[in-house]
Amino acid sequence: MKPFDLQRADSLAHASQLCADDASKPIGGGTNLVDLLKLEVETPDTLVDINRLPMAGIDPIDGGGLRIGALASNTAVAVDDRVRADWPVLSRAILAGATQQLRNRATTGGNLCQRTRCYYFTNIDQPCNKREPGSGCGAIDGIARLHAVLGTSDQCIATYPGDMAVAMAALDAAVEIASENGKSRSVPVRDFHRLPGDTPWRDNVLEEGEIITGVTLPAPVEGKQIYRKVRERSSYAFALVSVAAVVAMDEGGLISRADLAFGGLAHKPWHDPRIADLLVGKAPDEALFDKAADLLLEDAQGYGENDFKIPLARRTLKAVLGEATGTSS
């Protein structure tokens, strides 16, 4: 591991100042960053410990929503009574990820910023445009079983590995971000992560000196909330395909809400608003679910080993919609 300097921030402004160049990295739980330090994938000159900052609260906000501090642990969020009652898809998604020990340490802000587990990214002897721009994407013609089928580019086909952000995308949550100059902004989770394009090393919209301070959940809505994660083993495995769904039916048996987000398919949690536009106001049946899957996958592209993800995503989406609308066979 490359030697680094450790600085402890005593205020948000101090943390932003210390993180104002690309040679510095903030660290909360460290469950992803420490691994990347050991592999020499991340080689910062300075780590900025932000754990002294008062950002671990989970508190109600005006309008019936909830604010989750950036340093709230995944365990604290998943077991919070309000989250379990009103936003259960978020609790279920968090509990589907990692292990209890990791969830105890992992933070909300850090979870959003976790980096891909692409084999080529985590092996410094392999080509990876995310790690070394211009070196190529080894996965395109290599081992690609876990890789993306949506939103890819000729620069990168890595996937975003998390579960929590997929549920937050379905819930239309927002990320609160503070900057070095004392300003703040709010970015929808759906827009926080980036597709690779020709800058695959940029995972999200954070700029130098910016720190995530929290996530806000909008007021709870009516409907059934489901998180389904398809993976190669029952625990401690990343999603091949995951679906977070908030689906409601009206008294006439028509779909009145269909907020869906997908994991394991792209460089970011995937949200396609056209699917809700298609489903809302319609009576649920298999033909409608097939049309939703057609929309989701119309631009999907496999890379050999991950071709199976396309039919798997279709089956998973249809199964979730069937369960959510009570039309499962």
Side-chain angles (χ1 to χ4, degrees), residues 149-151 258 260 262 265 270-280 282 286-301 310 313-314 317-318 321:
V149 296
L150 292 173
L260 298 157
F262 303 85
L265 298 179
W270 191 263
H271 173 261
D272 187 338
R274 300 176 304 163
I275 297 175
D277 293 340
L278 170 71
L279 294 172
V280 170
K282 307 284 195 345
E286 186 167 355
L288 180 65
F289 299 163
D290 269 321
K291 290 179 181 177
D294 289 342
L295 267 183
L296 170 66
L297 298 166
E298 67 177 2
D299 294 322
Q301 176 184 354
I310 297 173
R314 173 179 291 275
L317 171 57
K318 291 177 64 177
L321 289 174

Side-chain angles (χ1 to χ4, degrees), residues 29-323:
T31 56
N32 181 210
L33 180 56
V34 170
D35 286 342
L36 296 178
L37 290 171
K38 292 176 180 178
L39 294 169
E40 296 188 18
V41 173
E42 294 279 11
T43 55
D45 293 332
T46 303
L47 288 185
V48 181
D49 183 351
I50 61 173
N51 283 290
R52 292 180 177 179
L53 306 185
M55 300 194 301
I58 304 175
D59 304 297
I61 55 177
D62 293 343
L66 196 70
R67 183 183 185 279
I68 301 169
L71 291 175
S73 73
N74 282 182
T75 295
V77 176
V79 304
D80 185 271
D81 288 341
R82 295 158 296 188
V83 174
R84 293 174 66 189
D86 294 330
W87 300 274
V89 66
L90 177 57
S91 178
R92 292 166 187 159
I94 292 172
L95 292 174
T99 64
Q100 182 66 56
Q101 294 88 342
L102 286 171
R103 293 193 295 267
N104 289 344
R105 288 295 303 160
T107 64
T108 299
N111 191 301
L112 286 170
C113 294
Q114 66 181 299
R115 309 206 67 188
T116 185
R117 271 40 172 219
C118 171
Y119 324 110
Y120 297 89
F121 174 71
T122 56
N123 185 342
I124 61 174
D125 295 322
Q126 296 294 322
C128 174
N129 287 320
K130 288 181 71 64
R131 192 187 64 250
E132 186 180 348
S135 62
C137 175
I140 288 178
D141 295 315
I143 300 172
R145 182 171 175 78
L146 297 179
H147 288 68
V149 296
L150 292 173
T152 59
S153 74
D154 60 3
Q155 298 289 305
C156 179
I157 62 169
T159 52
Y160 174 77
D163 296 284
M164 182 192 77
V166 179
M168 287 182 171
L171 292 168
D172 199 16
V175 184
E176 294 180 349
I177 300 169
S179 64
E180 183 185 10
N181 59 15
K183 295 182 179 180
S184 62
R185 60 184 176 126
S186 179
V187 177
V189 168
R190 294 171 182 175
D191 298 327
F192 177 75
H193 299 95
R194 296 166 53 99
L195 291 177
D198 57 3
T199 56
W201 53 90
R202 295 199 63 189
D203 293 333
N204 54 56
V205 300
L206 289 176
E207 303 290 346
E208 290 180 4
E210 288 191 322
I211 302 286
I212 294 175
T213 56
V215 174
T216 56
L217 302 177
V221 297
E222 296 293 328
K224 191 163 188 177
Q225 298 188 22
I226 296 169
Y227 188 74
R228 182 170 295 196
K229 180 177 182 178
V230 182
R231 47 187 162 174
E232 293 184 311
R233 57 182 184 270
S234 62
S235 64
Y236 203 31
F238 300 108
L240 297 171
V241 175
S242 65
V243 182
V246 182
V247 178
M249 305 289 290
D250 65 19
E251 293 181 355
L254 303 181
I255 299 171
S256 59
R257 174 181 292 274
D259 297 325
L260 298 157
F262 303 85
L265 298 179
H267 198 260
K268 60 181 289 184
W270 191 263
H271 173 261
D272 187 338
R274 300 176 304 163
I275 297 175
D277 293 340
L278 170 71
L279 294 172
V280 170
K282 307 284 195 345
D285 60 27
E286 186 167 355
L288 180 65
F289 299 163
D290 269 321
K291 290 179 181 177
D294 289 342
L295 267 183
L296 170 66
L297 298 166
E298 67 177 2
D299 294 322
Q301 176 184 354
Y303 293 87
E305 283 195 346
N306 69 344
D307 290 351
F308 73 94
K309 281 194 174 188
I310 297 173
L312 179 61
R314 173 179 291 275
R315 294 194 301 271
T316 306
L317 171 57
K318 291 177 64 177
V320 167
L321 289 174
E323 178 183 352

Side-chain angles (χ1 to χ4, degrees), residues 6-9 15 18-19 24-27 46-50:
L6 178 66
Q7 298 283 340
R8 288 190 169 89
L18 291 171
C19 292
S24 301
K25 293 280 185 181
I27 185 168
T46 303
L47 288 185
V48 181
D49 183 351
I50 61 173

